[in-house]
Amino acid sequence: MFKKCAKAIAVLLITASFQSCTTQKLSFKANKPLVGIWQNIKEPASFITYTEDGHFYNSYKEGENQVITHSGNYKIIGNDAYLLDITYELPNRKYALKDRQYINHYVFGKDLKSVKLTGVVSGKSGSDTLKWEENMVKVKSF
């Protein structure tokens, strides 16, 4: 009787571990469309780059140069949300984003080549907030 219970428990543990591995692979595949270079539709010189290793870079094109305005790490935390941990910003920005974390939301277009990003950020004083929304399109280069 003990051997049968032990075998049943072992089978359940093995099955559970396979299911958790499958879930991790599926969630990685589901989040992969965010990786790449995204161009702002309203401001074509403005870009956000998300890398596979969890870094992001907000930038704008100035002549032939790409100027990074903000950077840090991001992590998908749900089907439509990701956490930004901002570690760098250009000096003298209106909104103090450096050393803060923000939850942003995203909705992909049907073709996964467009995305609507939304969020709320705090001003330097803490009381001045900005609710923002940007429509982005995936591009191959700056």
Side-chain angles (χ1 to χ4, degrees):
M1 175 110 168
F2 178 72
K3 287 183 180 180
K4 287 182 181 179
C5 286
K7 285 182 182 178
I9 291 171
V11 169
L12 287 174
L13 290 174
I14 291 171
T15 303
S17 67
F18 280 130
Q19 287 178 343
S20 68
C21 290
T22 303
T23 302
Q24 288 174 353
K25 287 180 184 176
L26 289 175
S27 66
F28 177 74
K29 286 181 182 177
N31 297 331
K32 192 165 179 141
L34 198 56
V35 172
I37 302 170
W38 297 88
Q39 184 176 27
N40 189 316
I41 292 174
K42 285 190 246 173
E43 298 178 37
S46 180
F47 299 87
I48 302 175
T49 303
Y50 298 99
T51 65
E52 286 188 33
D53 63 356
H55 291 89
F56 81 93
Y57 305 90
N58 287 11
S59 63
Y60 67 91
K61 194 166 186 170
E62 189 175 86
E64 294 298 314
N65 298 319
Q66 211 53 34
V67 178
I68 296 175
T69 60
H70 300 89
S71 66
N73 302 299
Y74 77 98
K75 179 180 180 181
I76 303 296
I77 57 173
N79 289 335
D80 70 345
Y82 63 100
L83 177 72
L84 283 184
D85 183 12
I86 302 170
T87 57
Y88 167 80
E89 72 180 351
L90 272 179
N92 302 320
R93 307 301 289 181
K94 179 177 180 180
Y95 293 93
L97 307 180
K98 184 181 175 196
D99 299 326
R100 295 189 183 189
Q101 292 183 334
Y102 292 96
I103 295 176
N104 292 339
H105 296 275
Y106 61 93
V107 177
F108 286 107
K110 291 181 183 179
D111 60 0
L112 298 178
K113 294 184 181 187
S114 63
V115 66
K116 180 180 183 177
L117 303 175
T118 58
V120 177
V121 297
S122 302
K124 288 184 180 182
S125 66
S127 60
D128 186 23
T129 60
L130 170 69
K131 184 175 181 180
W132 60 273
E133 176 180 302
E134 298 295 343
N135 291 303
M136 312 292 283
V137 62
K138 198 168 198 175
V139 295
K140 294 184 182 194
S141 64
F142 299 107

